[in-house]
Amino acid sequence: MDVSERELALISALSGGLDLCASPYARLGTVVGMNESDVIATLAALRDRGVIRRLGVIVRHHELGYRANAMVVWDVPDDQVAAVGRRLGQCDEVTLCYRRPRRLPDWPYNLFTMVHGKDRAEVEAAIAGMAIREGVDHYPRQALFSLKRFKQCGARYQHRHAAE
């Protein structure tokens, strides 16, 4: 893709994340020598050209008091998984929802939903309530609770001058 040095510098600075402040794009601009409106316009242009597809947020749930989380894996008939995934993905309890291929015979699950809570009992209650409310409680499922916390970070890009 045709990306200018200025755009590369902005992408590189953005990969470190936005500051939690009233004007995060203005603060980002100070790092790369741009004003806030130029940062926003440049990011929009990069998105429109397909260089950037989306900006994501990594929430550090543990620091917010959410100490339990489970990846709920579901065995949903393949002809229904898209519709069920759309419904579950809209639930307030679900922070992440995606489809993956089954790995038979050992792994029959094809739909994955992440649920966070203050403790294990809260997560289990949320899963059970959601399953009943959404009419999916008859599908086989397992709640796989995390035992270890890993550092989360987005993609990292490093700006290098063309001469290097």
Side-chain angles (χ1 to χ4, degrees):
M1 293 191 167
D2 187 25
V3 181
S4 72
E5 287 292 316
R6 183 177 180 194
E7 291 168 331
L8 284 172
L10 180 59
I11 292 168
S12 179
L14 180 61
S15 71
L18 291 172
D19 289 336
L20 188 57
C21 64
S23 301
Y25 295 107
R27 190 166 294 170
L28 178 64
T30 63
V31 173
V32 294
M34 299 169 76
N35 65 41
E36 182 179 36
S37 60
D38 286 342
V39 168
I40 293 169
T42 303
L43 291 173
L46 289 167
R47 182 202 57 220
D48 292 344
R49 291 181 7 230
V51 176
I52 294 176
R53 287 195 225 152
R54 66 181 178 91
L55 295 180
V57 175
I58 295 174
V59 177
R60 296 176 54 114
H61 297 91
H62 196 264
E63 284 75 3
L64 296 174
Y66 292 87
R67 307 268 189 234
N69 61 292
M71 178 62 73
V72 186
V73 294
W74 306 79
D75 180 5
V76 178
D78 290 328
D79 64 339
Q80 297 173 33
V81 71
V84 171
R86 276 192 293 279
R87 283 202 330 264
L88 292 179
Q90 295 293 317
C91 293
D92 290 340
E93 299 90 343
V94 174
T95 58
L96 182 67
C97 181
Y98 56 93
R99 180 182 188 177
R100 287 286 183 261
R102 304 171 193 278
R103 299 290 183 220
L104 298 173
D106 299 319
W107 191 257
Y109 306 105
N110 59 346
L111 185 62
F112 296 65
T113 56
M114 180 63 77
V115 178
H116 296 271
K118 303 278 183 184
D119 57 42
R120 189 180 183 111
E122 182 180 293
V123 172
E124 288 171 339
I127 295 165
M130 173 182 64
I132 291 168
R133 187 182 69 244
E134 297 301 323
V136 297
D137 55 317
H138 60 286
Y139 295 128
R141 69 176 185 266
Q142 284 190 38
L144 309 173
F145 282 86
S146 296
L147 301 175
K148 185 173 182 178
R149 210 175 122 198
F150 294 93
K151 182 180 177 185
Q152 292 179 292
C153 66
R156 301 281 190 222
Y157 301 95
Q158 189 171 18
H159 178 68
R160 293 188 186 168
H161 295 286
E164 290 180 353

